[in-house]
Amino acid sequence: MPAATPGRVRERSLPAGAGIGLRSAHREAFATGRPDVAFLEVHTENYFHDGGREPRELDRLREDYPLSLHGVGLALGSMSPLDRQHLRRVAAAVRRHEPAAVSEHACWGQLEGEHFNDLLPLPFTEEAVQHLAARVRDLLDALDR
């Protein structure tokens, strides 16, 4: 796999190859060099804020690596109404960081405003599929994707 090249054109899909989930433990390696990985994945919710070190670092890394934003908080399979404020914040992060890919867990993870740390499975029913599909359409519409 070729090493990352500075100033790479923004890609609309992730390249073949192994990416990594960017964590604080990787900060030094990326500050002093360009590790040979195909792309970087970060949790969307960690980049909701506009200011600070982390978004600036991600902006800099995005110049060299395709980015995948992986959300963990929309609870797409949950029966509670979709959190529109959270969805707007996801959309703002997507606009700012221009990821090649956006993903979110297809599970339920909240009930009546209470979020769970577990990825709870959806029932194997047509109703659950239709519910999830409608919420994914809402997400795609909000992201203009």
Side-chain angles (χ1 to χ4, degrees):
M1 162 185 358
T5 53
R8 180 185 290 184
V9 174
R10 303 261 191 261
E11 297 182 29
R12 290 299 291 175
S13 62
L14 294 177
I20 64 163
L22 186 64
R23 304 291 187 269
S24 59
H26 304 127
R27 191 170 269 134
E28 180 66 24
F30 284 94
T32 60
R34 291 292 173 259
D36 186 14
V37 297
F39 64 91
L40 303 175
E41 179 184 88
V42 299
H43 284 165
T44 310
E45 288 81 2
N46 291 339
Y47 296 89
F48 275 0
H49 53 286
D50 292 326
R53 179 177 66 180
E54 291 84 5
R56 283 193 310 271
E57 285 179 349
L58 194 60
D59 288 341
R60 182 182 55 79
L61 290 172
R62 182 61 186 97
E63 294 302 318
D64 294 338
Y65 296 96
L67 180 64
S68 174
L69 291 182
H70 177 64
V72 296
L74 275 175
L76 289 175
S78 296
M79 294 307 294
S80 300
L82 197 57
D83 183 338
R84 296 293 169 178
Q85 180 179 1
H86 190 97
L87 187 56
R88 283 189 295 276
R89 295 178 85 188
V90 168
V94 168
R95 282 190 306 274
R96 175 178 179 162
H97 298 294
E98 300 178 310
V102 178
S103 62
E104 176 74 37
H105 288 285
C107 64
W108 71 271
Q110 67 110 334
L111 179 63
E112 298 175 356
E114 181 74 27
H115 286 266
F116 306 101
N117 291 328
D118 296 310
L119 305 177
L120 302 169
L122 300 178
F124 291 115
T125 66
E126 184 63 27
E127 180 183 25
V129 170
Q130 294 303 319
H131 175 72
L132 181 61
R135 301 216 358 169
V136 169
R137 280 191 299 275
D138 284 348
L139 174 59
L140 293 174
D141 288 346
L143 301 181
D144 196 27
R145 288 187 170 219

